[in-house]
Amino acid sequence: MESRLDDIDRRIVYELMRDARNTSAPTIAEQVNVSPGTIRNRIGQLEERGIIRGYTAGVDFERADGHLVNLYVCNAPVSDRKSLAREASVVPGVVNVRELMTGRRNLHVVAVGENTEALRRVARALSELGIEVEDETLVEAETDSPYTPFGPEGDAVSGEATAFVDLAGDALVVDATVHA
């Protein structure tokens, strides 16, 4: 069910996406010119409506314990996708399941394992559920960003990358437009 957000709700979502751990209601309240109590109430309403689904820690598993992170790109029958996603989410090692609105490659599963054998066990478990693993890739890094249209006007992005060019030797040139 769609829910309309006003400017204050959008700004709350933006700030929590940017850094939920270090963002306080008084800080957001000052930025949008309302009381901290209003911000706390709005956050509660956003949680109740299911817009804010929770707060998580981004973990670098390789640094934490030398673990590997693997992305499984899977096919699940559309009629069973939701139930298979729930079943996949309880496989030991699985940390994220994403359902996609496509015919093929419609289920992405992220798992963490201490070695490749642990990741093979996850692939076998997914297969035993009736999920076809089409591709799997070790994840090197992941970057999250807040949704900039919900951010402050004129302050959301300091520059926009307009082109990327790969050069020999793993060099990358980025063409950016910066608005002062």
Side-chain angles (χ1 to χ4, degrees):
M1 183 174 115
E2 185 180 318
S3 213
R4 286 274 183 217
L5 302 181
D6 65 13
D7 289 340
I8 294 171
D9 290 336
R10 284 190 288 276
R11 188 62 181 274
I12 290 168
V13 170
Y14 174 84
E15 293 299 334
L16 292 175
M17 287 180 74
R18 190 179 59 74
D19 186 3
R21 180 175 176 82
N22 297 307
T23 300
S24 66
T27 302
I28 299 170
E30 185 176 309
Q31 294 173 10
V32 296
N33 201 26
V34 298
S35 74
T38 297
I39 297 299
R40 284 188 284 277
N41 289 338
R42 293 284 191 107
I43 290 171
Q45 291 167 4
L46 290 165
E47 291 170 345
E48 287 173 15
R49 291 169 25 206
I51 294 167
I52 296 176
R53 296 183 311 221
Y55 305 88
T56 61
V59 178
D60 183 330
F61 289 99
E62 186 176 6
R63 283 185 182 203
D65 270 337
H67 286 53
L68 303 171
V69 178
N70 207 54
L71 167 65
Y72 302 89
V73 178
C74 306
N75 299 311
V78 174
S79 59
D80 299 331
R81 183 179 55 221
K82 188 164 284 312
S83 63
L84 287 171
R86 276 193 307 273
E87 291 179 46
S89 71
V90 298
V91 169
V94 171
V95 296
N96 179 278
V97 178
R98 178 174 291 140
E99 298 174 54
L100 302 171
M101 298 291 292
T102 61
R104 295 191 53 77
R105 303 172 67 92
N106 61 1
L107 200 61
H108 290 183
V109 178
V110 178
V112 176
E114 59 274 3
N115 53 38
T116 55
E117 178 53 36
L119 296 175
R120 280 193 288 274
R121 282 193 298 271
V122 171
R124 282 192 298 272
L126 294 173
S127 181
E128 289 169 6
L129 292 173
I131 298 170
E132 175 194 354
V133 176
E134 185 171 306
D135 193 16
E136 53 183 287
T137 306
L138 281 174
V139 177
E140 182 175 353
E142 185 172 357
T143 303
D144 292 315
S145 301
Y147 183 57
T148 55
F150 285 5
E153 284 188 37
D155 192 39
V157 180
S158 60
E160 296 176 7
T162 55
F164 295 92
V165 178
D166 287 315
L167 301 176
D170 290 330
L172 178 68
V173 175
V174 179
D175 183 20
T177 302
V178 179
H179 305 281

